[in-house]
């Protein structure tokens, strides 16, 4: 079973304003764009992370499954479902949403992240 199809049909129904996301990269070592390895123990400033939305509650208005969201990894609750780690958070804890449906939309600000 592929990783994408593994979380397509989760046996979970999110409640209220909760959002379930799957992080893009595992924690630990990272690589800079120049190829330099940055160890997990390196002290860095507050760093936000990107994740893919897997499920949303009925009161979530700005996010849909499949969107990519920017969030603070320090303000999170982790949960494991079927052996896959997910992050649970409230919609108000998200900092930005990136989705194809916003391209060319009239309600965007025109600013870039």
């Amino acid at each position: 079973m592929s990783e994408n199809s593994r979380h397509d049909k989760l046996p979970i129904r999110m409640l209220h304003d909760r959002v379930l996301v799957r992080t893009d990269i595992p924690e630990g070592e990272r690589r800079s764009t120049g190829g330099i390895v940055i160890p997990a123990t390196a002290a860095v400033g507050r760093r936000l992370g990107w994740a893919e939305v897997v499920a949303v509650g009925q009161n979530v208005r700005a996010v849909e499954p499949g969107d990519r969201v920017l969030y603070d990894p320090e303000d999170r609750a982790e949960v494991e479902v079927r052996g896959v780690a997910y992050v649970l958070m409230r919609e108000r804890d998200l900092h930005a949403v990136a989705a194809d449906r916003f391209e060319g939309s009239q309600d965007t600000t025109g600013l870039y992240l």
Side-chain angles (χ1 to χ4, degrees), residues 10 14 24-26 32 40 48 53-55 59 70 74 79 104 107:
L10 285 177
M14 302 306 295
D24 287 346
I25 56 173
S32 70
L48 300 178
V53 176
V54 177
N59 295 336
L70 187 64
E74 293 181 14
V79 64
D107 60 351

Side-chain angles (χ1 to χ4, degrees), residues 27-99:
E27 290 187 24
E29 288 186 350
R30 297 187 321 267
R31 285 196 182 271
S32 70
T33 54
I36 298 171
V37 175
I38 303 168
T41 57
V44 293
R46 186 171 173 188
R47 183 179 180 89
L48 300 178
W50 287 98
E52 178 188 355
V53 176
V54 177
V56 297
Q58 69 269 21
N59 295 336
V60 173
R61 297 180 293 178
V63 181
E64 296 177 3
D67 289 352
R68 291 177 44 80
V69 293
L70 187 64
Y71 72 103
D72 185 355
E74 293 181 14
D75 297 333
R76 66 180 186 180
E78 292 186 14
V79 64
E80 188 172 312
V81 179
R82 294 184 177 168
V84 179
Y86 296 95
V87 176
L88 176 66
M89 62 188 69
R90 292 178 180 263
E91 182 182 25
R92 69 179 179 210
D93 295 331
L94 301 175
H95 295 280
V97 180

